[in-house]
Amino acid sequence: MLRIINCHISTDHWRIELPDIFLQSGELLVLTGPSGMGKSTFLHWVLGDTIKHANISGEIHLNDVSLNALSIEKRCIGLLMQDVHLFPHLNVLDNICFALPSSAKDKGGQKLNKNQRKEAAMRLLNKIDMGYVGEHFAEQLSGGERSRVGLIRALANQPKALLMDEPFAALDPQTCAQVSQWAFEQLHTQGVPAIMVSHDINNIPPEAQHLDLAKYYRRIAS
Amino acid sequence: MSSVTSTLFLSLSAPLLALYVAFMVYSQYRFNPRWQALEKRLAPLLSLPHLAVALGLVYLFSPGGMVYSAFAGIIGHAAPDWLGLPRKSLLTMILAISIKEVPFFLLIFSALGRQLAIKDWLLQGRALGYSESASWWLLVFPIMLKQSRLALLAAMAYTLSVLDISLLIGPNIPELYAVALYNWQTGFTSADQANAFLGNLLLLIMLATLITGIYLHEWLVVMRLRTNAVMAKPLNIARLSRVFTAWLGFFSLLTVAILVTFLLWSLGWNSQSTLSSINWSPALWQDEWFFMQGPLLNSLHIAFFSSILGVAITLLALELQQQSQRYLPDYIWLLAILLPQLSMVHGWRIAHSDLSASYTTSWIILTHIPFTFAYSYLVLRGPFQSLNRHYELVAASFGYTYWQRWWQIRFMLLRPALLSALAIAFSVSIAQYIPTLIIGAGRITTITTEAVAIASGNEQSITAVYMLVQAILPFIAFLIASVLAQRIRGSFDATHH
């Protein structure tokens, strides 16, 4: 379970006091609000990135472990951005292998070798009928394919939570609807709690929680 | 044969060593407040001539050098010779070139870094559980390595045929190939001329070997890193990068130490001195000033015109490409620094003799232009091609013609980059040795040719005077460029898109 409590975001001009957030496994929270209100800043703070243009405080707990003192790489939180940043020098399979935990083991408890890791990555792709892009590089994929591969790569890392910063905003409306529906199903099936920043308030899945930052935004009188 | 192998080894290892060090420095500085300090100091540090670095290292660290003597003073008796840097050896050459090329690769990485989403890749890498240093090696290095091929080739081609520092700090037995080839080229016998012809051919074969080396190294490294990426195995050397957080301080200190050493030698210090026993005197400067004026004026004259012409031709090349929308590959424009200088200039000398041309500074200026042009092109291409077109669009909407817009908008916005290009081109011209020596046939002397001639003898004090002047001229050019650039309003926005 992902818990974020007593979270305050502030700059010299405004302040936001967020309500406490509780996300069970597989649950999705959609964060909306006008530009410049700190949505992405909030995500990066949860991720563990250094925040420069705002002050943020609060407590983050994932499965009852406090994350505040942990660096990004220790938090087990995945990230999916609008540009999913598939690494351009690695093909799709290698991108997924890069995300597979180094400790991944086979059924006999042996560490996977190079070929087994590639097979594992291919199985993940085949599950979504995208095995045909395995040898492709990022620039050879369409926007929708890139988003799907990005999510598969993020999930291959076995994150305990996922953060998504307008991950489907660059897609055309029809593809966006298809891919986002598919993505939410994947997250739900795998039991990964997720927070998604979005501008599209008409496309929030009915089962998702919704947090509109504008409701909690207060200007600071100068 | 051993001359060829040691030259190939030097030309491969020194630039590669510099590239790895530069990458580790870049990874430690890029997303750190220290980056701005490094970017600010990079161009002046880059301007320190190879010759000054090479001889500076010898003056500091060889037996009898300043640091060596200071160390001996501390421990109370003379330190063993093996502890000092040999005055002439392959190791000294490797050290000098690899130390000197680090700022060059940093400049290349800095330009590349602006075009790559490095920050996002690192963030993704860390979100997938890798440390920042592992992410730098596994995600950024393979791409930077591929995109640094030309820079690597330029550094290798330079090392392959560099003559001045090979003569002064390169090994004697076997001598480096550039020295042997130069001796054949300047020999009078028909055997020498035949050797020179074959020698030039061999130099081209060595260049081809280096190009193969670049690709082979890249293939091996990318394969290795790819395997590590697939196996989710961070590199063990990743932690080593942290050592290089101190690079800027170290390199600045080394630069200052080199300049101070030359200054002290020129004022009376020698290898037998102690601080209390020296009779400080500017007499050497007063004596040498008489002999130095001619070479100094020649240096300034040649550097002034060749840098202005090099930058002007660069602007023309960029403008013509833009207008025709036909962009030639970079290696065409950078040919002068990708081919071995010794062979190229030998060809020019033959043409120069066939034309029965005179030995004047005009011809020297002409031979410096390909080099000042290539470096200006490296510096100006990015700012020129990434200039925000909207400025000119707005001017066009006000009714300005193409050339009015070019002069009043584009040229004005490019002024800071133009000043940097001029300063770099000026320092490139000041440091030129082979074209000045070969085309001038010894009749046109510059500070650099004089410095090498004197340093070949045993007059360390007089050498120090010339080295100091050679090192300070580019610094003055950068100082003027930086003062002028600061007076240009809005310059930062215009060149940093």
Side-chain angles (χ1 to χ4, degrees), chain B residues 6-299:
Chain B
S6 56
T7 303
L8 277 176
F9 176 71
L10 166 74
S11 309
L12 261 177
S13 59
L16 279 175
L17 190 62
L19 177 113
Y20 279 94
V21 171
F23 181 75
M24 287 190 267
V25 173
Y26 184 73
S27 71
Q28 291 304 302
Y29 281 74
R30 181 61 191 95
F31 299 112
N32 190 296
R34 292 187 298 256
W35 175 246
Q36 293 208 333
L38 189 140
E39 271 207 316
K40 216 181 255 177
R41 276 195 243 167
L42 201 51
L45 290 178
L46 189 68
S47 75
L48 192 67
H50 282 81
L51 195 57
V53 174
L55 285 181
L57 287 177
V58 169
Y59 274 52
L60 280 168
F61 300 108
S62 67
M66 297 282 274
V67 172
Y68 185 90
S69 305
F71 181 70
I74 291 168
I75 61 170
H77 55 85
D81 273 6
W82 57 262
L83 234 135
L85 187 70
R87 294 185 77 87
K88 283 172 81 75
S89 74
L90 198 60
L91 174 73
T92 316
M93 280 291 284
I94 292 175
L95 267 182
I97 290 178
S98 51
I99 289 175
K100 171 65 189 107
E101 295 297 342
V102 171
F104 170 67
F105 283 112
L106 277 172
L107 188 80
I108 300 293
F109 289 155
S110 161
L112 284 176
R114 290 197 192 115
Q115 299 158 19
L116 302 172
I118 295 177
K119 206 171 185 177
D120 294 323
W121 298 341
L122 294 176
L123 198 61
Q124 278 292 353
R126 295 184 71 195
L128 293 172
Y130 292 82
S131 69
E132 188 164 317
S133 49
S135 302
W136 270 103
W137 283 104
L138 295 177
L139 305 177
V140 184
F141 187 65
I143 292 165
M144 287 220 151
L145 183 63
K146 278 189 180 183
Q147 299 199 10
S148 306
R149 276 179 205 148
L150 278 187
L152 206 47
L153 180 56
M156 286 185 182
Y158 168 81
T159 313
L160 183 64
S161 75
V162 63
L163 185 60
D164 48 2
I165 55 174
S166 300
L167 278 167
L168 299 179
I169 64 160
N172 280 337
I173 306 168
E175 60 192 358
L176 286 170
Y177 187 70
V179 179
L181 181 58
Y182 176 71
N183 289 336
W184 290 329
Q185 285 180 351
T186 49
F188 292 108
T189 65
S190 54
D192 281 339
Q193 290 306 310
N195 278 341
F197 176 75
L198 292 173
N200 282 320
L201 264 179
L202 181 58
L203 196 63
L204 288 178
I205 294 170
M206 289 165 81
L207 184 72
T209 311
L210 291 177
I211 294 172
T212 314
I214 290 175
Y215 278 94
L216 193 66
H217 164 263
E218 184 185 303
W219 183 76
L220 286 170
V221 168
V222 170
M223 281 292 286
R224 169 72 208 270
L225 291 175
R226 204 172 151 174
T227 304
N228 277 55
V230 168
M231 295 302 289
K233 225 160 93 186
L235 285 179
N236 291 332
I237 58 159
R239 284 186 198 153
L240 186 70
S241 307
R242 280 182 215 146
V243 176
F244 293 92
T245 46
W247 180 84
L248 184 59
F250 164 77
F251 200 88
S252 305
L253 188 70
L254 182 69
T255 305
V256 172
I258 286 172
L259 296 178
V260 169
T261 304
F262 289 146
L263 184 67
L264 292 180
W265 271 90
S266 74
L267 292 175
W269 171 276
N270 63 58
S271 51
Q272 268 77 47
S273 307
T274 58
L275 274 176
S276 52
S277 67
I278 304 164
N279 184 16
W280 298 111
S281 154
L284 203 56
W285 283 90
Q286 286 161 353
D287 295 345
E288 280 306 311
W289 179 241
F290 175 75
F291 301 104
M292 196 194 288
Q293 283 175 47
L296 181 61
L297 282 175
N298 279 341
S299 281

Side-chain angles (χ1 to χ4, degrees), chain A residues 44 47 49 72-73 77 79 81 84-85 87-91 94 97-100 102 112-114 117 153 157, chain B residues 117 119-121 123-132 138-140 142-143 226-227 229-233:
Chain A
H44 281 249
L47 183 72
D49 198 8
I72 301 179
E73 53 268 36
I77 293 185
L79 172 70
M81 293 187 267
V84 295
H85 292 295
F87 305 121
H89 63 298
L90 301 176
N91 64 24
D94 291 349
C97 284
F98 181 76
L100 281 173
S102 58
L112 299 184
N113 63 28
K114 194 174 170 184
R117 289 176 71 84
R153 183 181 69 173
N157 195 234
Chain B
K119 206 171 185 177
D120 294 323
W121 298 341
L123 198 61
Q124 278 292 353
R126 295 184 71 195
L128 293 172
Y130 292 82
S131 69
E132 188 164 317
L138 295 177
L139 305 177
V140 184
I143 292 165
R226 204 172 151 174
T227 304
V230 168
M231 295 302 289
K233 225 160 93 186

